[in-house]
């Protein structure tokens, strides 16, 4: 079995910015409430020609650049998304065309905010077995097209963006290696965050548009409780599975769901502030894109060195949740 490393990271956020002040003009809310309750100051929004696939392709190009791989080298493209360009075909197929990865297989993973972790787990196994050499795993969302801008409880949370990694076999003395990845789900909770209409069970109708059922419905309070305990469990599990303690982790890169959720989960685990990567103030919750964007920013800002232990974790609609523990390797592109 191959050891598998992250060989490159990349991210792309769209050009539009929605500030809390912008939201104050649309719904009954305030900058103070949003910052206090979520930690979010602004989020990004697609403009003009920007789409989920185009953000994905830009993020992928940057990750491939770092990894030193050409389009023709890519064997497989996995995109975690619930807001792809179309219901079908898969956004991964559009990315395959846009980056010219003509040899690659391509498919999407639907696991909402856990989509990148689900994709990473699959990609890891594909390279581990030797079936594929260069696998692109992307998390990408354009949720601003699916949120209800009349619902102050949810529209303040979400933003658009994409993050990507290239997975390759780790060779020689490169320490880079995915050490574990675990996936979980609880389908009994499928209506806590969902879009009720637009699938094959209930198609769009005039009535469903009037009731705004084609947009995200969220029971924020229910998710909040689940989120704090799940994030804590995901970190704890990752540590136990690898026989390591919290102080040995260089960085936790959590799903950027809500600053209060992240802080509450990490406090109970004695993680120091500098061990937890946070960028939610700039992007809000970008769902499947949140972990790979954060990982890319952590890497490019020079926070990670070869040998560092990193834990990734996310949870979301489904409900789904997952984690991964990795040892960082010799990845290009970090600011020295
Ligand atoms: C959504 C979330 C920020 C709400 O924060 P909260 O502290 O739980 O707030 P509550 O829902 O208990 O609402 C408290 C009050 O604020 C009000 N409120 C809700 N949104 C508001 C807003 N944007 N601005 C001002 N007031 C708001 C509520 O109406 C409520 O008022 P009431 O007490 O008069 O009924 C929080 O629950 C959360 O982050 N949940 C998880 C996010 C999530 O589901 N993410 C997607 C899945 S990964």
């Amino acid at each position: 079995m191959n050891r598998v490393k992250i060989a490159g990271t990349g991210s792309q956020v769209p050009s539009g910015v929605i500030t809390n002040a912008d939201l104050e003009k649309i719904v009954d809310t305030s900058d103070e409430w949003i910052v206090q309750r979520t930690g979010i100051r602004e989020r990004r929004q697609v403009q003009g020609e920007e789409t989920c696939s185009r953000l994905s392709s830009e993020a992928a190009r940057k990750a491939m650049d770092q990894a030193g791989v050409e389009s023709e080298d890519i064997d497989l493209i996995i995109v975690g998304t619930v807001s792809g360009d179309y219901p079908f075909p898969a956004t991964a197929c559009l990315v395959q065309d846009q980056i010219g990865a003509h040899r690659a297989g391509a498919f999407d993973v639907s696991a909402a905010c856990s989509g990148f972790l689900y994709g990473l787990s699959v990609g890891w196994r594909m390279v581990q077995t030797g079936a594929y050499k260069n696998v692109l795993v992307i998390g990408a969302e354009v949720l601003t097209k699916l949120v209800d801008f009349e619902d102050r409880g949810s529209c303040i949370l979400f933003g658009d963006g994409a993050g990507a990694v290239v997975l390759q076999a780790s060779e020689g003395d490169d320490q880079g290696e995915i050490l574990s990845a675990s996936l979980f789900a609880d389908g009994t909770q499928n209506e806590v965050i969902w879009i009720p209409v637009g699938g094959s069970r209930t198609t769009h109708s005039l009535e469903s548009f009037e009731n705004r059922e084609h947009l995200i419905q969220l029971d924020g309070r229910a998710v909040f409780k689940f989120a704090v305990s799940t994030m804590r469990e995901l970190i704890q599990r990752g540590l136990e599975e690898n026989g390591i303690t919290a102080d040995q982790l260089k960085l936790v890169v959590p799903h950027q769901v809500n600053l209060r959720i992240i802080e509450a989960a990490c406090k109970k685990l004695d993680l120091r502030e500098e061990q937890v990567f946070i960028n939610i103030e700039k992007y809000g919750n970008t769902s499947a894109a949140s972990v790979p964007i954060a990982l890319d920013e952590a890497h490019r800002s020079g926070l990670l060195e070869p040998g560092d232990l990193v834990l990734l974790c996310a949870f979301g609609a489904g409900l789904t949740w997952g984690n991964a523990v990795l040892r960082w390797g010799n990845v290009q592109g970090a600011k020295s």
Side-chain angles (χ1 to χ4, degrees), residues 29 33 37-38 113 152-153 193 218 220-221 223 255 258 260:
T29 190
W33 191 96
R37 300 286 181 129
T38 70
C113 302
R152 68 176 182 173
I193 325 168
L218 168 72
R221 235 174 257 187
V223 177
H255 175 36
N258 179 323
R260 279 160 60 217

Side-chain angles (χ1 to χ4, degrees), residues 221-288:
R221 235 174 257 187
V223 177
F224 195 96
K225 275 196 219 147
F226 155 82
V228 174
S229 60
T230 302
M231 186 172 280
R232 198 170 54 234
E233 273 169 38
L234 282 171
I235 298 171
Q236 235 158 5
R237 250 189 131 104
L239 295 173
E240 280 163 22
E241 276 172 6
N242 292 281
I244 53 177
T245 52
D247 61 310
Q248 288 177 280
L249 282 178
K250 178 63 184 284
L251 206 59
V252 174
V253 181
H255 175 36
Q256 306 292 307
V257 54
N258 179 323
L259 186 58
R260 279 160 60 217
I261 293 174
I262 298 171
E263 284 179 347
C266 292
K267 207 164 147 194
K268 296 202 173 163
L269 291 165
D270 294 328
L271 284 159
R272 298 182 307 279
E273 207 177 303
E274 65 273 19
Q275 285 178 288
V276 184
F277 191 84
I278 310 265
N279 64 2
I280 192 170
E281 69 282 0
K282 294 190 288 184
Y283 306 129
N285 178 352
T286 56
S287 185

Side-chain angles (χ1 to χ4, degrees), residues 193-199 201-203 212-217:
I193 325 168
W194 66 319
I195 297 181
V197 166
R201 176 166 169 168
T202 316
T203 53
R212 307 183 75 73
E213 289 168 317
H214 58 298
L215 300 171
I216 294 172
Q217 321 280 314

Side-chain angles (χ1 to χ4, degrees), residues 30-291:
S30 67
D31 174 54
E32 194 193 355
W33 191 96
I34 300 173
V35 173
Q36 251 180 28
R37 300 286 181 129
T38 70
I40 302 168
R41 293 184 185 276
E42 57 187 44
R43 61 295 284 145
R44 295 304 186 98
Q45 183 181 35
V46 289
Q47 307 287 310
E49 299 296 299
E50 290 170 333
T51 60
C52 188
S53 65
R54 289 191 187 280
L55 295 175
S56 299
S57 295
E58 277 313 304
R61 283 191 189 99
K62 291 176 187 172
M64 287 159 60
D65 227 38
Q66 250 182 28
V69 296
E70 303 293 330
S71 308
E72 292 297 329
D73 300 329
I74 300 294
D75 302 297
L76 184 65
I77 302 169
I78 305 171
V79 178
T81 188
V82 289
S83 52
D85 289 20
Y86 309 113
F88 72 87
T91 294
C93 293
L94 309 180
V95 173
Q96 190 239 30
D97 176 39
Q98 288 165 18
I99 66 171
H102 305 298
R103 286 196 318 106
F107 64 91
D108 288 357
V109 167
S110 174
C113 302
S114 318
F116 176 75
L117 267 303
Y118 267 65
L120 187 74
S121 175
V122 174
W124 169 42
R125 297 301 190 188
M126 291 293 205
V127 179
Q128 194 178 47
T129 59
Y132 295 106
K133 277 194 175 145
N134 293 296
V135 175
L136 255 177
V137 181
I138 301 167
E141 304 284 6
V142 176
L143 287 179
T144 60
K145 299 248 187 165
L146 301 178
V147 297
D148 184 350
F149 280 101
E150 290 185 5
D151 175 15
R152 68 176 182 173
S154 61
C155 74
I156 57 153
L157 297 171
F158 299 104
D160 305 337
V165 299
V166 173
L167 300 180
Q168 280 177 352
S170 192
E171 281 162 2
D173 59 2
D174 192 336
Q175 297 182 68
E177 182 173 4
I178 294 174
L179 301 170
S180 68
S182 303
L183 307 177
F184 309 91
D186 176 6
T188 65
Q189 302 292 310
N190 64 73
E191 295 182 5
V192 179
I193 325 168
W194 66 319
I195 297 181
V197 166
S200 57
R201 176 166 169 168
T202 316
T203 53
H204 294 295
S205 64
L206 272 180
E207 195 189 356
S208 71
F209 282 117
E210 274 164 19
N211 294 335
R212 307 183 75 73
E213 289 168 317
H214 58 298
L215 300 171
I216 294 172
Q217 321 280 314
L218 168 72
D219 182 346
R221 235 174 257 187
V223 177
F224 195 96
K225 275 196 219 147
F226 155 82
V228 174
S229 60
T230 302
M231 186 172 280
R232 198 170 54 234
E233 273 169 38
L234 282 171
I235 298 171
Q236 235 158 5
R237 250 189 131 104
L239 295 173
E240 280 163 22
E241 276 172 6
N242 292 281
I244 53 177
T245 52
D247 61 310
Q248 288 177 280
L249 282 178
K250 178 63 184 284
L251 206 59
V252 174
V253 181
H255 175 36
Q256 306 292 307
V257 54
N258 179 323
L259 186 58
R260 279 160 60 217
I261 293 174
I262 298 171
E263 284 179 347
C266 292
K267 207 164 147 194
K268 296 202 173 163
L269 291 165
D270 294 328
L271 284 159
R272 298 182 307 279
E273 207 177 303
E274 65 273 19
Q275 285 178 288
V276 184
F277 191 84
I278 310 265
N279 64 2
I280 192 170
E281 69 282 0
K282 294 190 288 184
Y283 306 129
N285 178 352
T286 56
S287 185
S290 107
V291 168

